[in-house]
Amino acid sequence: MNREIREAFFFILPLGIFVLLLMLLPVIGSFWISLWQDVSFLPRKFTGLGNYFRLFKDFQFWQSAGFTLIFSFASVTLEMVAGTIIALVLNESFRFRGIMRGTALLPWAIPSVIGARIWQLIYRYDYGLANYVLRGTSGLSVNWLGSSGGAFLSLVLADSWRTTPFVAIILLAGLQSVPQGLYEQAKIDGANLFQRFFKVTLPVIKPVVIVALIFRTIDALRVFDIIYVITGGGPGGFTTSVSLYSYKYFLLGDFGYGSTVSIFLFIIAFTVAFLYIRAGRFREAAL
Amino acid sequence: MKEERIKRILLTLGILFVIVFCLLPFAWMVAVSFSETPDFLIRGNYGFTIKNYLDILRLENLHFLDYLKNSLLVSGIVAIFSALIGALAAYAVSRLSFPGKVVIVLSVLALSMFPQISVVGYLYKFMSNIGWINTYNAMIFPYVAFSLPLAFWMLMSYFSQIPKEIDDAALVDGANRFQTLVRVILPITLPGFLSAILLLFMFSFNEFLFALMLTTDFRARTVPVGIALFQGLHGELPWGYIMAASAISSIPVILIALFFQRRIIQGLTRGAVKQ
């Protein structure tokens, strides 16, 4: 018994060291930095919670927090819908289904920066694909990246494209776990295709939907890569997510305030994660 | 039957949707990469060329091959280390009995949701102090840490499918726990272990924020950062180069996704679906 505990300790130790030194310690370090005035070329000065008071009065920060929230909500909603459709398709049996499943993974598999570059060019006002199609069908051109509404929509679409495959995969696994007998029973009871989806499929896969929802929400709240590439936070700072806002302060050399913003995001993400783990039935799943 | 027909039509539409949704942007990327000018849609003149590809492979001041080499090396090293370290921990949790197991498993799950931005400021200062900015090490160590939750969860789900009696047999024969893991469990779960390595490779290959903060030039810069910071001489973005570089860099992960889709899907969903 004692020996097993000792063995377990040594097996988990390497993971523990990495996590401690490169995840936990840096977060504590960031918190420590956030308690200082830490700007390049200025003397370091301990300010306690000073940066946090500044944060609460910082209009631009709240604007970016608001943007991040609305962006996450819109993008996760769209992904759940598109992901459900794709999962339903990939769950049917048809020729080349394996290749189709692989194909559906591609937007998620490539680096997010590459996806972002592709969409950035699609959205280009003069010769982008989006306006080409729009002009051809309706004669209109949209200023995708130059207007705040257009930029918001562009980012939501690009982000949904990249992450829908992930949602689809998780939901597909849920669909595969629905007992076929339930469908047969519903058919006998006279339920049609759509009734079967809403009355049988959805209730059974609900736990999986929640898992996908929360994983994606936390991920969306941290959004950085695609905004950095596609809009750089513009126009006029309108699409600056909290991560990007923090990064911009790092770039300016203001590590104290940048860390304060990042710690705020950390607390939000962790609260969501905590609620998730409490809500999910991971205790039994784990063992 | 009427319903069968509705279903057939919906399925056909669905398949079309998946194809257009997933592949159209890739088709656009490839089209631009083979065109003389990115504005071929309004010029009405496509002008097929492979010059963009030749240039990014030949012109040394673009450093694309450096970025690619850095990306492949860093991601490869991270994938292997992370899988090995994750395997040790996953073995302990799936095989040994010790107090605090649930806490460890749940903590690792929580760690997988860590926002990278919350550590990158500190890491930048730390790596500057020890002189690691713009080195592989600056990326390898944080990448291993941040990919460990994924490695741990995937491998734990593979290991827990193997009956414990197999371990007991090896232990009776005089092997210690480590030997049991390396000689018995890993060979049995080899396909799962390899697919974990591939997924971990993708994880690092795609990472952007750390690489952006912790590297400064072609000696360590990875593909995503290179592509994000690509600048033309006169302000106009060199779209042909960007798309050619994107197409080449996507090849490894596209191959992984197409050939190992079954294993990737399994690996990603094991944890999520178990109830």
Side-chain angles (χ1 to χ4, degrees), chain A residues 212-235:
Chain A
L213 202 63
I214 297 184
F215 256 106
R216 277 298 310 138
T217 305
I218 293 170
D219 207 29
L221 290 172
R222 313 181 279 202
V223 62
F224 178 83
D225 306 7
I226 67 155
I227 298 182
Y228 179 94
V229 171
I230 296 181
T231 65

Side-chain angles (χ1 to χ4, degrees), chain B residues 201-244:
Chain B
F201 177 88
M202 279 168 61
F203 175 92
S204 305
F205 194 79
N206 297 354
E207 201 284 330
F208 179 58
L209 178 59
F210 284 168
L212 178 69
M213 275 294 267
L214 303 175
T215 65
T216 51
D217 67 22
F218 65 93
R219 279 168 290 178
R221 194 172 272 173
T222 56
V223 165
V225 182
I227 287 180
L229 300 182
F230 235 119
Q231 284 299 334
L233 278 177
H234 310 290
E236 179 71 348
L237 283 169
W239 281 110
Y241 289 171
I242 291 177
M243 291 301 153

